[in-house]
Amino acid sequence: MTESHKLHAETLVVSQGRPAHEHDAPVNTPIYMTSTFRGAKTVDTLNDKVYARFHNPSWDDLEEVIASLEEAELPGLTFASGMAAVAAVEDLVPVGSAILIPRHTYMASISLAQKLERRGVCEVIRYDLDDTEGTLAAMEAAASARSLSGENIDYRAPKVLMWIESPTNPMLEIADLTVLLPAAQKLGIVTAVDNTFSTPLVQKPLNLGADIVVHSATKFIAGHSDVVMGLAVTNNPVLRAAMLEHRTVNGAIAGPFEAFLALRGVRTLALRVQRSMANAQELAERLQEHPMVREVRYPGLPADPFHKRAVAQMDGFGAVLCVVLDADAAGTDAMVNQLQLWTPATSLGGVESLIERRRRHLAEPDSIPESLLRLSVGIENVEDLYRDLDQAMRSVPKASKDSIG
Ligand SMILES: *Cc1c(COP(=O)(O)O)cnc(C)c1O
């Protein structure tokens, strides 16, 4: 193969992260069930394994694959969960810092920032992804209050960290990454993008100027709803060292078996994501016309307010869509209980289709409609998926106009 031929993502998920191409080498990565490694000489923490909280070779191939998919030069980092990866980033900020975080974001990512704020570490500044001008003004204010400049950024302890989730959970708002990421670089703001909803097949934030990408590998990367795991990727050696130190001293490490399952899941990531996205697009189009549906949110619909942005910076529209039913909370719950095929459960990104009324979580903000359902579209036959939704929706009485939440 010539140097100039760049492998496609569908090939990388299959070919990368394999044991050495040597005679009699295993084709797949072994699971290293050991807590410690033999050694009697002075420890070289960069090259020696030493102890399995510092390093487990079961992680290496997954860390290689995620880096190749995100087009990073440095290997990724595996974590015990998506939140462990989020914590490795948010915990970098020093006293007197600010974390900018979208109004709608994965709840635990917000809670973690608020926990740091309660302990007096940082200020939490919420912004609206919708409003790029307002977001830029908030970034400028946070940077100038801390006399930041793009020249000398302290990556070990960033004074302003900008958290970005795009698309957001569960409203599927899309940030203008092509504007926000370069602006942050100029201002000396360190940026982290939660790429869980998009996967690296659909969006590559590092290429758009992000400093860090995090994933809940629990979702599309592992893909079978049988693993909880996280990943972080960066091209910045200082940031990587700081997150690695966090992982080691906090003990936020993935189990070797989980790493094996996640890597096994990655092998079919491209197939799964392509099929799930095609199903999601078809369902979004049909549900738009459904008499029980007041609103469909899916960036793949030309009428969606974020469609243009999605086309400009993404390679597809993801496999999560939201539907606001013409029903109240009880009617929406009743509809979910009528489903035969769809699984009522939180989480997303698995082969099986999941559905959830988001406001069943008491912490979900009340800007999310009571009858909003988040659908994580799996790889089943799309006719079967649609028919099940249709029969369940038709079983529910329409809400009277004033009871719609
Ligand atoms: C699930 C999720 C997380 C948290 O990941 P865990 O693996 O559950 O710890 C973070 N961000 C997003 C967008 C998620 O969907």
Side-chain angles (χ1 to χ4, degrees), residues 241-314:
M243 291 190 290
L244 173 58
E245 180 195 37
H246 173 101
R247 180 178 78 180
T248 304
V249 300
N250 286 274
I253 57 163
F257 187 60
E258 280 72 11
F260 170 87
L261 282 175
L263 183 58
R264 186 188 164 105
V266 164
R267 301 300 181 206
T268 54
L269 178 67
L271 276 178
R272 289 185 285 103
V273 167
Q274 284 156 5
R275 171 61 172 256
S276 290
M277 288 202 304
N279 281 352
Q281 180 77 37
E282 177 68 25
L283 290 178
E285 284 168 14
R286 290 198 200 180
L287 289 169
Q288 266 192 134
E289 311 295 328
H290 199 282
M292 279 302 292
V293 171
R294 294 175 60 212
E295 189 188 350
V296 177
R297 302 198 63 127
Y298 184 65
L301 294 174
D304 187 273
F306 296 98
H307 181 69
K308 266 213 189 104
R309 266 186 206 172
V311 169
Q313 65 192 32
M314 294 163 79

Side-chain angles (χ1 to χ4, degrees), residues 81-83 106 109 165 194 196-197 216 218-219 228-229 348:
S81 64
M83 279 315 300
Y106 190 73
S109 303
E165 199 176 285
D194 185 333
T196 300
F197 271 48
S216 169
T218 311
K219 316 293 167 53
V228 173
M229 238 189 79
L348 57 115

Side-chain angles (χ1 to χ4, degrees), residues 354-397:
L354 303 182
I355 188 164
E356 181 179 43
R357 186 173 75 83
R358 285 300 295 182
R359 288 288 297 281
R360 85 186 177 100
H361 299 283
L362 299 178
E364 198 76 340
D366 54 16
S367 47
I368 310 295
E370 278 282 8
S371 64
L372 179 135
L373 292 166
R374 187 182 74 186
L375 283 66
S376 168
V377 183
I379 64 171
E380 303 93 331
N381 178 283
V382 72
E383 289 300 332
D384 295 339
L385 290 175
Y386 180 75
R387 266 184 224 172
D388 193 32
L389 290 172
D390 181 50
Q391 66 76 19
M393 285 178 182
R394 287 181 195 281
S395 74
V396 174

Side-chain angles (χ1 to χ4, degrees), residues 19 38 104 114 121 147 186 210 243 246 352 361 368 393:
R38 299 180 72 96
H104 296 142
Q114 288 170 334
V121 176
S147 316
K186 274 209 196 87
M243 291 190 290
H246 173 101
E352 69 292 294
H361 299 283
I368 310 295
M393 285 178 182

Side-chain angles (χ1 to χ4, degrees), residues 93-99 142 146 148 154 157-161 188 190:
V93 301
V95 169
S97 61
I99 298 181
R146 289 160 187 87
L148 288 189
D154 183 359
K159 290 237 172 53
V160 181
L161 172 70
V190 171

